[in-house]
Amino acid sequence: MPRLSKMQRAWWKEAVVYQIYPRSFQDSNGDGIGDIRGIIQRLDYIKSLGIDVVWLNPVYRSPNDDNGYDISDYRNIMAEFGTMEDFDELLAGMHKRGIKLVMDLVVNHSSDEHEWFQQSRQSRDNPYRNFYHWWPAEHGHPPKRWSYFAKNGSAWKYDETTDAYYLHYFSEKQPDLNWENPKLRAEIYDMMHFWFKKGIDGFRMDVITFISKHPGYPEFPERYQGQNMIDIYAQGPRLHEYLQEMNQQVLQHYDIMTVAEGPGTKTDNVLKLVDEDRKELNMSYHFDHQSIGVGERYIVNDDYQNLVKFKKVMTEWDTVFAEKGWNTIYLGNHDFPRMVTRWANDAPKWRARASKMLTTFLLTMRGTPYYYMGDEIGMSNIKFENIEDYKDLMTLNWYHLTQSEGGDVDALIESHKLVGRDNARTPMQWNANENAGFTKGVPWIKINPNHIDVNVEEQQDRSDSELNYFRQMVALRKQKLTLVYGSYELLFPEHQQMFAYLRKLDDETLLIMLNFSEENCAVTLAESLKITGVLQNNCTSLAHEGTSVELLPYQAVICMVDTQS
Ligand code: NOJ
């Protein structure tokens, strides 16, 4: 049995992280856009969840081409979100309540409106020229690079002023920063110190795996085409050198946490980022489960909810960290659909129970859970029918690209109802009133009409609500360190409805059983596992007799077991 006394304990391993997308959390001034004062108004709610850390999506100055992921000033606050005084008050308010604040660090690219880029594009000998990646046009068209958000799919944009192309893995308004340049790196480290000196508790590092580019921008091997290029973007030759330098110069000086957004990271290379002996980052999160059944331009196929594949991915990722490093667990965030729609069932009949089941999953796996705002009340996808309703440049660009190629735009709309990013970006549903208590103005994006039924006010005091279930689960994870540090062992890997696993620490064994389907689901446990009690249940009872157990649709249980082996 694994022993707690042998574990390298850390606050960020025991923490539950709650993610706030500020644009959609709470508007305080009636402009239809969530803001920092809105979050301040909701601090007691956030505290009531029992979570330890808030990850706040970018609040820096930005022209908002990509909702704040295009930063024009790293040391100021976006006007729509408030002022630096508001930010300081938010940080103090969180700390007063014992909540830590993790900010987004977006340094693979800046906005094209950042002073550095304004300078860089002026002349080939400008002192800021090498803060970005340029390809002189006299060398011909640069080798192919794929862009997430470019209108024509290419990550090179021609710029007339200096007759050269600049690189942008994301939109044209998000030029990639050149980490080869030590001056750029020094600026970034300095900016990180600025925020740590204010007292923030860590960074979630946006697409940090892409910061090192292949020198000379060579043609990539044939197998890296289109979206696949992500995998090679994440293998830049100097990535780890940069992160070790960042650790030495900045991170090691503070008691903070770091988590990489790790697109392109695989089970066979992630330890390079998070093996503690290498002194880079604490954690990383991968996209492997999100990619199941989702292809180019996010067109979904039949594998989309393939539970066997999902279990395999989650288990393989757990195994990587069994001895070293530390895992992260998430099912949704601002870049993915609502978890209950994506992984379970948002039909009114099942939505509440299914979302509690997923909450059980997130809070019983090994690894730090990242929980997305609104999931605690079981918010579901809005499923826009019309392209006009979308605000996200990703869906908009892929729609127009598909249209210009004469492709199937209806298929794209159908798929984006399931996986489009805007599904997670509709405002937080506080009450059943007009605009769900989010704003007194016109919301920047439509509000899910189901806020009439699905909202915080309705769930606040109802003991069996999704919201109170989440609070119970957070409390349970705090109380049972087996759920944090215990070993993980998958049962019934090939079962198509049931996700079941054991967590073991010291003398305790917990059995978690989750029915991911809308049918009853029966299994026979090994003779050696004897259920002695039920710690948590999203239904009112559990049908079990000897080694036979039958779960109701979307039922989730955590059982104490005697292991007689
Ligand atoms: C990942 C962020 O989470 C996403 O929202 C953004 O569009 C891209 N990185 C570009 O910064």
Side-chain angles (χ1 to χ4, degrees):
M1 283 287 234
R3 295 271 147 210
L4 183 59
S5 57
K6 294 270 185 314
M7 300 290 159
Q8 265 188 27
R9 293 181 65 172
W11 63 262
W12 46 267
K13 294 182 180 174
E14 295 176 22
V16 176
V17 181
Y18 181 71
Q19 182 192 348
I20 295 182
Y21 194 65
R23 205 174 181 77
S24 300
F25 193 62
Q26 177 69 64
D27 175 20
S28 73
N29 61 1
D31 66 358
I33 297 172
D35 47 40
I36 293 179
R37 297 222 69 81
I39 306 174
I40 294 172
Q41 285 169 15
R42 295 293 182 182
L43 278 175
D44 288 335
Y45 171 78
I46 298 166
K47 174 71 187 163
S48 81
L49 300 174
I51 55 92
D52 311 271
V53 175
V54 164
W55 155 26
L56 188 62
N57 289 98
V59 292
Y60 312 97
R61 185 95 10 124
S62 162
N64 272 313
D65 189 50
D66 185 20
N67 286 1
Y69 281 96
D70 46 320
I71 297 172
S72 53
D73 181 350
Y74 287 99
R75 293 169 193 240
N76 262 309
I77 300 295
M78 191 190 300
E80 287 167 334
F81 287 171
T83 63
M84 192 59 95
E85 286 68 44
D86 296 331
F87 176 83
D88 292 339
E89 190 179 325
L90 175 68
L91 181 60
M94 286 195 180
H95 284 170
K96 193 175 117 203
R97 290 168 179 80
I99 301 169
K100 294 184 191 285
L101 179 59
V102 166
M103 303 270 285
D104 233 290
L105 181 76
V106 189
V107 290
N108 172 68
H109 46 268
S110 71
S111 162
D112 66 340
E113 296 182 32
H114 194 291
E115 173 66 20
W116 299 336
F117 191 73
Q118 297 293 317
Q119 295 272 350
S120 185
R121 76 184 337 172
Q122 270 173 26
S123 66
R124 288 191 180 190
D125 55 9
N126 187 285
Y128 287 91
R129 184 66 170 180
N130 287 333
F131 270 45
Y132 295 86
H133 297 273
W134 291 98
W135 175 276
E138 64 271 21
H139 295 177
H141 201 280
K144 248 194 261 156
R145 292 293 183 269
W146 177 81
S147 161
Y148 280 81
F149 304 151
K151 294 201 170 70
N152 61 3
S154 166
W156 291 106
K157 165 88 177 157
Y158 178 71
D159 203 46
E160 235 168 45
T161 318
T162 57
D163 191 30
Y165 297 84
Y166 66 85
L167 187 68
H168 61 94
Y169 283 176
F170 294 88
S171 89
E172 291 171 17
K173 288 186 66 60
Q174 294 168 294
D176 282 41
L177 289 162
N178 180 9
W179 278 69
E180 293 275 321
N181 183 347
K183 286 199 184 125
L184 177 269
R185 302 207 298 278
E187 287 277 3
I188 303 254
Y189 302 152
D190 204 44
M191 176 271 284
M192 292 170 76
H193 279 298
F194 168 84
W195 288 99
F196 283 133
K197 285 190 182 133
K198 271 190 176 288
I200 70 160
D201 303 286
F203 278 122
R204 171 268 187 192
M205 303 189 179
D206 189 65
V207 294
I208 198 74
T209 43
F210 292 175
I211 57 175
S212 164
K213 312 297 193 258
H214 293 76
Y217 318 106
E219 293 285 355
F220 287 145
E222 219 16 60
R223 65 181 182 284
Y224 298 112
Q225 293 293 335
Q227 208 165 311
N228 275 344
M229 279 197 193
I230 294 172
D231 293 352
I232 195 159
Y233 287 174
Q235 293 171 35
R238 297 182 69 187
L239 172 64
H240 299 288
E241 179 195 329
Y242 296 152
L243 291 176
Q244 280 167 17
E245 181 185 78
M246 178 197 280
N247 188 300
Q248 236 176 19
Q249 298 208 11
V250 189
L251 305 175
Q252 63 157 344
H253 301 290
Y254 305 94
D255 177 22
I256 45 105
M257 63 167 256
T258 51
V259 55
E261 187 199 28
T265 309
K266 300 288 161 207
T267 48
D268 60 7
N269 60 19
V270 68
L271 274 181
K272 285 196 170 167
L273 286 175
V274 300
D275 173 346
E276 39 287 88
D277 296 338
R278 294 173 51 86
K279 302 207 178 337
E280 295 187 22
L281 305 178
N282 298 137
M283 295 171 270
S284 173
Y285 71 85
H286 66 86
F287 289 34
D288 282 1
H289 56 318
Q290 301 288 1
S291 318
I292 297 172
V294 179
E296 291 260 332
R297 295 187 196 165
Y298 283 13
I299 301 293
V300 300
N301 61 43
D302 289 348
D303 259 353
Y304 168 69
Q305 287 194 334
N306 184 321
L307 183 66
V308 173
K309 288 195 175 167
F310 176 68
K311 290 192 284 193
K312 189 163 180 280
V313 166
M314 298 317 273
T315 304
E316 281 171 2
W317 276 90
D318 178 84
T319 310
V320 174
F321 303 109
E323 304 293 332
K324 299 198 124 194
W326 188 251
N327 203 6
T328 57
I329 300 289
Y330 77 102
L331 287 177
N333 63 34
H334 66 293
D335 289 331
F336 296 104
R338 282 285 167 192
M339 70 174 186
V340 72
T341 308
R342 171 69 174 95
W343 302 105
N345 194 331
D346 62 9
K349 183 171 179 199
W350 302 122
R351 188 199 47 76
R353 193 193 287 173
S355 65
K356 290 179 196 168
M357 185 274 288
L358 296 173
T359 293
T360 318
F361 170 74
L362 285 168
L363 292 166
T364 56
M365 286 292 282
R366 177 161 58 179
T368 299
Y370 288 72
Y371 200 91
Y372 187 60
M373 68 177 212
D375 283 346
E376 73 275 24
I377 55 168
M379 282 175 63
S380 56
N381 280 13
I382 190 161
K383 303 183 184 166
F384 290 134
E385 293 285 347
N386 301 312
I387 191 66
E388 291 73 32
D389 287 329
Y390 278 96
K391 303 290 175 201
D392 180 18
L393 81 174
M394 183 153 103
T395 298
L396 292 170
N397 286 349
W398 285 347
Y399 182 91
H400 292 123
L401 209 53
T402 305
Q403 198 173 42
S404 67
E405 295 162 355
D408 187 350
V409 286
D410 294 338
L412 190 122
I413 289 284
E414 281 313 301
S415 283
H416 281 238
K417 281 185 198 169
L418 292 175
V419 288
R421 304 196 300 180
D422 276 344
N423 287 295
R425 298 177 180 186
T426 64
M428 183 72 186
Q429 296 167 197
W430 296 104
N431 59 40
N433 301 345
E434 202 191 346
N435 294 334
F438 165 69
T439 181
K440 293 201 167 68
V442 181
W444 71 276
I445 189 170
K446 281 189 178 163
I447 292 177
N448 195 320
N450 78 0
H451 71 273
I452 308 283
D453 302 311
V454 181
N455 63 68
V456 171
E457 196 172 280
E458 190 282 322
Q459 297 190 19
Q460 180 76 315
D461 299 319
R462 180 160 58 80
S463 61
D464 67 348
S465 69
E466 300 89 299
L467 176 55
N468 283 313
Y469 189 89
F470 175 65
R471 289 173 171 145
Q472 283 163 25
M473 279 302 310
V474 174
L476 185 64
R477 190 171 172 98
K478 310 253 120 199
Q479 184 202 326
K480 291 258 168 230
L481 285 176
T482 303
L483 294 176
V484 177
Y485 293 108
S487 60
Y488 160 91
E489 191 185 317
L490 178 68
L491 307 177
F492 316 114
E494 298 303 323
H495 202 292
Q496 292 177 12
Q497 297 163 269
M498 172 86 86
F499 198 157
Y501 43 94
L502 298 174
R503 303 292 315 274
K504 294 182 183 170
L505 187 70
D506 294 331
D507 299 325
E508 183 169 71
T509 301
L510 300 176
L511 164 65
I512 294 97
M513 288 185 283
L514 311 166
N515 182 355
F516 270 71
S517 79
E518 59 182 301
E519 313 288 333
N520 280 17
C521 169
V523 289
T524 306
L525 298 172
E527 291 287 340
S528 55
L529 294 176
K530 188 167 170 290
I531 295 179
T532 56
V534 179
L535 268 181
Q536 187 72 17
N537 192 344
N538 68 349
C539 298
T540 45
S541 61
L542 172 65
H544 74 107
E545 170 102 46
T547 54
S548 307
V549 186
E550 181 164 338
L551 295 193
L552 296 167
Y554 301 108
Q555 184 165 16
V557 286
I558 307 177
C559 300
M560 290 175 294
V561 294
D562 247 2
T563 46
Q564 300 150 349
S565 51

